[in-house]
Amino acid sequence: MRTGRRAVAAAVLLVLVGAGPARARPEGPGGADRPDLAVVIAPGAAAGPSVSLDDADPDFARLERLTGEFAAVTERVPRAWDDGRFPPVEATIVWGTTGVGGWPKTRRAPGGDTAVDRQDQLVVADDGTPWIRTDPAIDVDDDDLRWHRASPGLVAELRRAGVFPPVRAGAHAGVPTADKVRWGLGGLGAGLAAAAGVWWLRARLPRAGREPRGPRQQLVG
């Protein structure tokens, strides 16, 4: 199943039908609590501002591999990120598990509801490193937010598939800062070496149509 929906409508739909307890992570293929629905809200993506994927879609499997292999402990990020001053969120993934609920929790028949599990967000640092910001239980008002570096290859695949938006204009497209510094210094060194070679050759080439200059003399009176 893959249908484009408006971002707000998709998010509201999941919240309205959510009736089960939140779970922090998928338990893996075949697990009883494994989410089988993902709503990706990504303005600017080729597939639309939001797209719904079920567990039969290849892009669903890519999203699982991108976000589902992290330990519970968060990775260290700049302090400003903890305070909310992190780069723009490029995509938000809301995970759900279908076939839950029923009376007395909801007025629907058993098996007809969708439980909202967790939320992952894609953030790309200034040096091009993709990060995933996870809220493991979005129905709980707490500060349990976890950061993890993500696979650039999987992010690129999801961009090509249209699930994530293309690389932002002016972004470094995944080139680490250290590599850019090395390339810049290498280019500077090559330029200086070329300039020195040109001056060396000019100093040794004969000047056409004029005698070589002798020592300069100056009268002092």
Side-chain angles (χ1 to χ4, degrees), residues 4-25:
R5 301 191 182 98
R6 300 181 67 86
V8 174
V12 170
L13 172 64
L14 280 179
V15 171
L16 288 177
V17 302
R23 282 163 288 276
R25 288 276 157 210

Side-chain angles (χ1 to χ4, degrees), residues 28-100:
D33 293 330
R34 174 178 175 266
D36 57 0
L37 174 68
V39 175
V40 183
I41 304 168
S50 67
V51 61
S52 299
L53 307 172
D54 68 9
D55 56 0
D57 194 299
D59 291 327
F60 183 96
R62 292 189 181 97
L63 286 172
E64 273 197 320
R65 296 202 305 274
L66 181 70
T67 63
E69 300 176 354
F70 301 138
V73 178
T74 185
E75 291 188 48
R76 186 180 297 277
V77 295
R79 187 173 186 83
W81 289 23
D82 288 331
D83 297 335
R85 299 191 301 275
F86 47 83
V89 173
E90 297 195 17
T92 296
I93 307 135
V94 180
W95 298 90
T97 303
T98 61
V100 300

Side-chain angles (χ1 to χ4, degrees), residues 35 66 69 73-74 86 121 124 133 140 147-148 162 202:
L66 181 70
E69 300 176 354
V73 178
T74 185
F86 47 83
Q121 292 181 310
V124 179
R133 179 179 184 264
V140 177
W147 290 94
H148 301 278
R202 288 185 61 185

